[in-house]
Amino acid sequence: MAKKPAKKASPSSKKGFEETLWDSANKLRGSVESSEYKHIVLSLIFLKFISDKFEDRRAVIGNEYGADFVDMVDFYTMENVFYLPEESRWSFVLKHAKQNDIAVKIDTALHDIEKNNPQLAGALPDNYFSRLGLDGSKLSALIDTINNIETMANECHMTEEDLVGRVYEYFLGKFAASEGKGGGEFYTPKSVVTLIAEMIEPYKGKIYDPCCGSGGMFVQSIKFVDSHKGNRKDISIYGQEYTSTTYKLAKMNLAIRGIAANLGDVAGDTFFKDQHPDLKADFIMANPPFNQKQWRQASELSDDSRWDGYETPPTGNANYAWIMHMISKLSDNGTAGFVLANGSMSSNTSGEGTIRQKIIENDLVDCMIALPGQLFYTTQIPVCLWFLTKNKKTDTEHGYKSREEETLFIDARQMGSMVSRTNKELTAEDVAEIARTYHAWRGEKDSGEYEDKAGFCKAATLEEIKANDYVLTPGRYVGAAEIEDDGIPFETKMKELSQTLYQQMQDAEKLDAVIRGNLEVLGYGE
């Protein structure tokens, strides 16, 4: 039987469902700033998602136990589903979307959800929709747009849970891009987070992010565990976030994916209000604010135990305070991977060089990676990845060789592909190549044999780092890439280049003569 001709892809399917939904939602923004608008959109997506989960569970309870049990809260919590009173359900919001008081109804719904589900305490916006004074018709149209997620899930042959997770992640990224400066406070580019997860492999133990933004590091950790057939129950998640609205975003982002996490009781400053003072983490993943100024007064935290054995980090830049904080939180075999501005690798300002020297002499630096520019939405400054570990000795359980007094340097500045006019991403192949190089160097058999590669990677000894004044910039160690021999003899190449140069000199003389002639015509002769 002859095959039917394939249907032409519709413009929306070519565009991608996330982008189609973004375009629809973004058209309705009106006078609301994206920094505010993201809380509106993401809160509604969250409400839609937990309502759908509730309705599914309600149907199951009704079928299995009967109508008398459908409002028993325990039947929902046992399956990690949030119980929703009738006026907090998406169906109720949708039914009243055209009414003038829809903003109040949404605020009430979110308030009641928080009240009935203690694990969401502090997670949802408080009277946000009423306070913003949104245009009722635009809010109604936005509700209709988000209601289309269910239709899209059917068209894409995906579960709504998967689709909502993707939409949420896509929207977070788009909001970060549209906000420019400030967006980076809640969002780290996905390819950077993926690289950190693939490097440190958080299979089992405690994972911590001291400045967790919207929780992207945790989401990627769970994806890593899932993709490698691990067990989510083998990891526990701890985080902290300074900004209250971003703290709420993180809680919603994790709840929507069914990820349990301890983000502390409140949003708070990690240096002054540590939410996990006794924590020792097996894995730390972080993207601290770049070059944060005036993070403490000179008289504050000067004798904090987190700096024990080191100089006190300077007040003018928090880079080394973040590093010291993370070192203090690592377990005896713990590994940390985090993003910092390139200046952290070579700075000698206000004692930073002395702290770095001590960290290196204590043999904590496992790997340094120089990243390509333009990866971040919020800044064009070049950034790097630090990987620290408390234990470089032979580890037979994980198959690691001893790396004592050795550090791996990787220069990935030539990697990545442009995905827009201004932004670049590391491709899946880039991430795999960098991670494979690190794992091979650690001695993991499945990753092959490690070899230094000029221009890309170099395993340097403590003595070599000392000879470079304790500077950790990979470019100092990996050297220049070898240039491939084109097979043309030197004499032949020199002759060709000389002839080209002479021709260009003759052309320049002719051009000068023409310019002189034109200047004489204008009355400006020599």
Side-chain angles (χ1 to χ4, degrees), residues 77 123 240 292 381 389 391 401:
T77 50
Q240 180 157 354
Q292 186 182 355
I381 65 170
T389 183
N391 184 6
K401 66 168 190 174

Side-chain angles (χ1 to χ4, degrees), residues 221-486:
S221 300
I222 294 293
K223 283 184 181 175
F224 178 85
V225 170
D226 291 345
S227 66
H228 291 79
K229 314 292 183 197
N231 188 343
R232 289 186 180 204
K233 291 179 180 173
D234 287 340
I235 61 171
S236 48
I237 288 172
Y238 298 83
Q240 180 157 354
E241 171 54 38
Y242 176 69
T243 309
S244 178
T245 49
T246 308
Y247 172 82
K248 291 176 189 287
L249 269 186
K251 281 205 155 192
M252 283 194 282
N253 193 18
L254 297 176
I256 216 164
R257 299 158 199 274
I259 300 173
N262 179 349
L263 303 186
D265 294 333
V266 292
D269 186 312
T270 302
F271 296 123
F272 288 91
K273 201 171 183 180
D274 186 358
Q275 296 291 295
H276 310 288
D278 302 320
L279 176 69
K280 291 293 180 186
D282 301 294
F283 303 97
I284 297 178
M285 305 167 73
N287 173 22
F290 296 147
N291 301 321
Q292 186 182 355
K293 294 180 173 63
Q294 305 307 320
W295 60 280
R296 69 175 178 92
Q297 299 298 315
S299 59
E300 294 174 318
L301 301 178
S302 54
D303 58 352
D304 192 281
S305 61
R306 286 171 288 190
W307 340 128
D308 281 353
Y310 296 86
E311 299 264 321
T312 301
T315 57
N317 190 317
N319 285 346
Y320 276 84
W322 284 111
I323 295 174
M324 306 301 297
H325 175 82
M326 288 189 267
I327 290 173
S328 76
K329 294 290 184 188
L330 275 179
S331 68
D332 290 343
N333 294 307
T335 302
F338 51 88
V339 188
L340 281 180
N342 272 5
S344 62
M345 298 190 289
S346 57
S347 167
N348 286 318
T349 307
S350 306
E352 289 181 329
T354 309
I355 301 174
R356 186 173 59 252
Q357 179 178 338
K358 190 76 175 174
I359 294 171
I360 294 166
E361 288 175 345
N362 286 344
D363 207 14
L364 298 174
V365 185
D366 208 26
C367 178
M368 298 295 301
I369 301 176
L371 292 175
Q374 297 177 278
L375 288 177
F376 281 75
Y377 296 120
T378 50
T379 177
Q380 297 300 318
I381 65 170
V383 298
C384 59
L385 293 180
W386 288 63
F387 291 90
L388 304 181
T389 183
K390 280 283 190 75
N391 184 6
K392 290 186 177 179
K393 292 179 179 171
T394 304
D395 179 346
T396 51
E397 183 186 348
H398 296 97
Y400 303 160
K401 66 168 190 174
S402 169
R403 288 114 54 214
E404 290 175 273
E405 299 195 357
E406 197 173 280
T407 295
L408 177 65
F409 291 90
I410 296 176
D411 189 344
R413 287 177 296 172
Q414 303 306 315
M415 290 182 153
S417 299
M418 296 302 290
V419 291
S420 70
R421 191 173 54 82
T422 53
N423 285 108
K424 192 180 268 192
E425 271 184 12
L426 291 171
T427 64
E429 291 75 23
D430 294 335
V431 170
E433 176 60 16
I434 295 169
R436 190 205 65 76
T437 301
Y438 175 59
H439 296 155
W441 172 73
R442 281 204 304 198
E444 296 168 63
K445 286 184 181 174
D446 292 346
S447 300
E449 289 293 321
Y450 170 80
E451 280 186 9
D452 288 345
K453 185 176 175 184
F456 178 62
C457 62
K458 160 79 178 173
T461 64
L462 181 56
E463 284 303 310
E464 288 174 286
I465 299 173
K466 184 179 177 182
N468 278 283
D469 297 326
Y470 298 96
V471 168
L472 292 174
T473 309
R476 286 215 179 190
Y477 301 90
V478 303
E482 291 177 11
I483 299 172
E484 198 171 327
D485 187 356
D486 55 12

Side-chain angles (χ1 to χ4, degrees), residues 79 105 148 253 430:
E79 292 294 326
K105 283 191 164 60
N148 279 335
N253 193 18
D430 294 335

Side-chain angles (χ1 to χ4, degrees), residues 169 187-195 220 223 377 425 431:
E169 185 171 308
Y187 188 79
T188 307
K190 187 182 169 188
S191 66
V192 176
V193 185
T194 305
L195 176 58
Q220 205 58 42
K223 283 184 181 175
Y377 296 120
E425 271 184 12
V431 170

Side-chain angles (χ1 to χ4, degrees), residues 81 481 510:
V81 174
K510 288 177 186 172

